[in-house]
Amino acid sequence: QVHLVESGGGLVQAGGSLRLSCANSGSISGFGRMGWYRQAPGKQRELVATITSGGSTNYADSVKGRFTISRDNAKNTVYLQMSSLKPDDTAVYYCSLTQFGYDYWGQGTQVTVSS
């Protein structure tokens, strides 16, 4: 059974940085596309960034140049380094894994950016 657990969220001032981690257990390490999505109050869940098993990345325009996604296949973990945070980045951030046609989600971690 695949289990994704996010960590690293919290409260930060605008302009600050945070690093989110997502530990993945139960899946085949290194396979599949992993990503981060976020959902702000009253809004739909949106893509933040994804990374393939080969390391190809994709970012939402709103985070390009500020966020970096990476993965450590040996640790079966994906990271999201967030810098120059803005109040608009406030949301619950969810880790995702797409593997062999199935989508898996973590429980989410809250990121709050104060102005």
Side-chain angles (χ1 to χ4, degrees):
Q1 183 175 358
V2 175
H3 193 48
L4 304 177
V5 179
E6 302 99 334
S7 61
L11 173 64
V12 64
Q13 288 189 332
S17 299
L18 281 175
R19 189 176 85 152
L20 305 183
S21 300
C22 174
N24 171 8
S25 62
S27 70
I28 299 175
S29 177
F31 285 86
R33 185 181 69 247
M34 298 199 74
W36 291 94
Y37 291 72
R38 67 187 181 187
Q39 188 168 17
K43 295 186 178 180
Q44 291 188 331
R45 189 173 298 189
E46 64 177 5
L47 167 74
V48 176
T50 60
I51 184 167
T52 68
S53 55
S56 296
T57 58
N58 180 51
Y59 294 93
D61 288 343
S62 59
V63 307
K64 283 180 181 176
R66 301 188 298 121
F67 292 9
T68 302
I69 189 170
S70 61
R71 65 191 291 171
D72 184 335
N73 290 333
K75 295 182 178 180
N76 225 2
T77 300
V78 64
Y79 305 96
L80 185 69
Q81 178 67 49
M82 305 185 293
S83 302
S84 301
L85 283 160
K86 306 174 182 179
D88 284 350
D89 295 318
T90 295
V92 178
Y93 284 69
Y94 296 90
C95 175
S96 74
L97 166 67
T98 299
Q99 189 178 75
F100 306 123
Y102 291 91
D103 294 326
Y104 304 93
W105 295 91
Q107 83 287 351
T109 185
Q110 176 70 46
V111 172
T112 303
V113 184
S114 63
S115 57

